[in-house]
């Protein structure tokens, strides 16, 4: 009796086992059966495996206008692509410093960078237009220049033969001069001093025009160079002076508003053109939003930075009289014909026209 029951049960058990192993029983192959979830999980999984992960290293603090604009760019790309692209941001030279980020971009080890335009001078001299001291009169003029097909837009196209592509600009404001040696109120005060410059070319000549010398030092090493007095001073925007604490080691700061560090958002052309069209559009839109945001943020924050620097009690802040500013300007303008020839008359004209257009808007 028992034997005949077992004989009857064994095939049933075997068949059930085989059906379960093959995914039988009416459910989806290899999937739990709870209502709707397997499909969602599958899509989630597919999105994860297909997600494009892009790296965006930069050298400044995350809470500067530039740093905030890059974080906004990353957020907006992810939102606009519904997670198809994730942009990982690495601030404060965490991943690459000035010297390595362009190489990393060309090698495909990162996907976006935003160096100050001066740092791409080796690719094209026109990128030093923002370095020309006293060329741009106002933030509004800079904004007009960025968007001008004969200005910023033409400039960014010049990257393409180098395998790169410009997606927009960012900024953190006008540059100021500071020193650990003495107050800088006239060109003569700068004579004989050695300054840190972000790059060579026009910046070297800018300091030469003041009877000074300069040396290029990567951004991440500037504080130490100032502290150890390898250099006597430097120039930078208030966002960087405050967040990098340069004011702690340079007790003399002069508000000169003489030149700019405007940043180009640059990507690798081949990589970018290989992205799906909707992702490319989302990235372009996010770059435009970041551009707009960085300038609004910079205008909003500049005074705050200056106040905080003053409140530190570690630095004397000097405002130039119109005559003192004119003396600096005169010393620099002596180099204009040379710079105009190097950068291109078309870009110089676009900058001057942007100044005029900005005045009309007031
Ligand atoms: C600098 O080197 O001082 C700047 O270009 C850093 C930056 O990106 O603002």
């Amino acid at each position: 009796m028992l034997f005949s029951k077992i004989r009857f049960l064994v095939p049933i058990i075997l068949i059930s086992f085989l059906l379960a192993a093959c995914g039988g029983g009416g459910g989806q192959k290899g999937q739990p059966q709870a209502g709707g979830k397997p499909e969602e999980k599958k899509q989630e999984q597919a999105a994860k495996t297909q997600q494009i992960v892009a790296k965006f290293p930069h050298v400044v603090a995350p809470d500067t206008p530039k740093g905030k604009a890059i974080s906004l760019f990353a957020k907006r790309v992810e939102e606009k692509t519904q997670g198809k692209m994730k942009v990982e941001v690495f601030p404060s030279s965490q991943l690459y410093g000035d010297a390595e980020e362009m190489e990393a971009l060309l090698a495909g080890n990162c996907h976006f960078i935003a160096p100050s335009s001066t740092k791409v001078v080796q690719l094209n001299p026109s990128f030093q237009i923002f370095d020309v001291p006293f060329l741009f009169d106002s933030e509004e003029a800079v904004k007009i220049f960025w968007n001008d097909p004969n200005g910023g837009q033409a400039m960014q196209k010049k990257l393409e033969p180098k395998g790169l592509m410009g997606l927009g600009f960012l900024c953190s404001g006008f540059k100021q001069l500071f020193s650990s040696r003495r107050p800088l109120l006239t060109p003569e005060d700068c004579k004989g001093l050695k300054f840190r410059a972000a790059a060579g070319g026009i910046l070297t000549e800018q300091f030469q025009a003041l009877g000074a010398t300069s040396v290029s030092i990567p951004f991440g090493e500037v504080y130490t160079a100032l502290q150890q007095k390898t250099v006597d001073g430097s120039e930078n925007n208030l966002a960087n002076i405050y967040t990098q604490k340069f004011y702690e080691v340079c007790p003399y700061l002069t508000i000169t508003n003489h030149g700019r560090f405007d940043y180009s958002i640059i990507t690798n052309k081949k990589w970018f053109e290989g992205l799906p069209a909707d992702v490319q559009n989302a990235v372009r839109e996010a770059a435009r939003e970041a551009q707009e945001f960085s300038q609004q943020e910079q205008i909003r924050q500049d005074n705050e930075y200056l106040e905080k620097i003053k409140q530190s009690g570690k630095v004397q802040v000097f405002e130039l009289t119109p005559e003192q500013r004119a003396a600096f300007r005169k010393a620099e303008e002596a180099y204009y014909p040379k710079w105009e020839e190097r950068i291109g008359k078309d870009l110089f004209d676009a900058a001057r026209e942007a100044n005029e257009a900005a005045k009309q808007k007031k």
Side-chain angles (χ1 to χ4, degrees):
M1 182 68 187
L2 183 67
F3 181 66
S4 74
K5 258 195 183 161
I6 289 176
R7 234 182 20 168
F8 177 66
L9 276 173
V10 163
I12 291 179
I13 291 170
L14 260 178
I15 287 168
S16 315
F17 181 75
L18 276 173
L19 274 175
C22 294
Q28 264 193 315
K29 210 172 170 183
Q31 295 284 348
Q33 291 179 33
K37 284 199 177 144
E39 203 42 46
E40 278 171 23
K41 261 205 167 164
K42 225 174 160 187
Q43 279 169 2
E44 211 176 274
Q45 201 55 37
K48 263 190 197 152
T49 49
Q50 285 161 18
Q51 191 176 50
I52 305 155
V53 179
K55 292 192 168 80
F56 196 150
H58 68 84
V59 298
V60 298
D63 54 347
T64 54
K66 171 182 169 182
K68 285 185 184 171
I70 293 174
S71 301
L72 176 80
F73 169 78
K75 183 169 165 272
R76 300 298 286 133
V77 167
E78 199 164 342
E79 283 168 5
K80 283 172 188 287
T81 62
Q82 281 148 4
K84 258 199 230 173
M85 181 183 271
K86 182 175 172 59
V87 180
E88 293 176 345
V89 180
F90 300 87
S92 308
S93 309
Q94 262 170 31
L95 190 61
Y96 300 112
D98 286 330
E100 306 96 30
E101 63 179 25
M102 178 59 80
E103 252 174 63
L105 182 72
L106 287 166
N109 294 331
C110 68
H111 308 89
F112 302 104
I113 59 172
S116 51
S117 296
T118 186
K119 291 174 188 165
V120 290
V121 61
Q122 73 280 13
L123 299 178
N124 194 296
S126 65
F127 276 80
Q128 284 204 307
I129 185 99
F130 299 112
D131 295 341
V132 175
F134 305 105
L135 182 60
F136 289 97
D137 289 346
S138 63
E139 282 298 336
E140 186 57 36
V142 169
K143 184 175 176 176
I144 293 169
F145 179 85
W146 283 350
N147 295 319
D148 181 354
N150 300 318
Q153 300 302 308
M155 231 174 95
Q156 293 211 321
K157 288 224 166 63
K158 294 179 200 267
L159 289 171
E160 296 192 11
K162 309 285 177 186
L164 300 165
M165 192 181 253
L167 296 169
F169 292 98
L170 301 176
C171 71
S172 282
F174 278 91
K175 290 185 292 186
Q176 323 300 343
L177 267 184
F178 49 94
S179 127
S180 61
R181 301 291 181 186
R182 51 182 178 252
L184 307 174
L185 300 175
T186 64
E188 291 69 43
D189 294 332
C190 301
K191 228 180 193 154
L193 297 186
K194 188 174 177 183
F195 289 88
R196 177 268 174 172
I202 287 179
L203 292 183
T204 307
E205 291 156 356
Q206 165 191 263
F207 288 112
Q208 271 169 11
L210 305 175
T213 56
S214 63
V215 56
S216 295
I217 297 176
F219 185 62
E221 296 165 28
V222 177
Y223 182 92
T224 310
L226 291 167
Q227 188 183 39
Q228 295 178 349
K229 303 219 169 14
T230 313
V231 286
D232 304 306
S234 188
E235 56 170 0
N236 223 307
N237 50 52
L238 291 169
N240 286 338
I241 296 171
Y242 177 70
T243 54
Q244 301 297 317
K245 300 189 167 42
F246 295 151
Y247 61 90
E248 283 186 356
V249 283
C250 284
Y252 308 106
L253 169 64
T254 309
I255 304 303
T256 48
N257 290 322
H258 62 281
R260 308 204 28 109
F261 278 142
D262 284 3
Y263 314 102
S264 293
I265 308 176
I266 304 176
T267 188
N268 180 313
K269 187 170 187 280
K270 196 166 166 214
W271 172 79
F272 186 75
E273 287 176 344
L275 296 173
D278 59 329
V279 175
Q280 288 188 27
N281 287 339
V283 170
R284 284 184 196 283
E285 279 174 26
R288 270 196 295 274
E289 283 181 33
Q291 171 175 312
E292 186 91 350
F293 171 83
S294 79
Q295 205 172 33
Q296 284 165 2
E297 196 57 18
Q298 182 273 317
I299 292 168
R300 192 184 70 77
Q301 275 188 281
D302 236 26
N303 275 340
E304 266 174 45
Y305 286 130
L306 186 57
E307 277 317 301
K308 286 179 179 162
I309 290 168
K310 283 181 180 168
Q311 279 164 16
S312 73
K314 294 194 168 153
V315 61
Q316 274 179 274
V317 180
F318 301 93
E319 306 274 343
L320 294 178
T321 62
E323 293 74 30
Q324 286 168 330
R325 196 160 190 272
F328 274 103
R329 187 177 195 128
K330 190 165 172 234
E332 299 296 349
E333 279 178 348
Y335 282 70
Y336 270 32
K338 189 174 168 181
W339 290 335
E340 185 164 329
E341 198 181 314
R342 203 180 306 157
I343 287 175
K345 185 174 176 337
D346 44 346
L347 285 184
F348 255 70
D349 285 347
R352 289 181 181 123
E353 280 161 24
N355 284 336
E356 280 312 306
K359 269 187 217 142
Q360 304 300 325
K361 270 190 150 186
K362 272 190 185 165

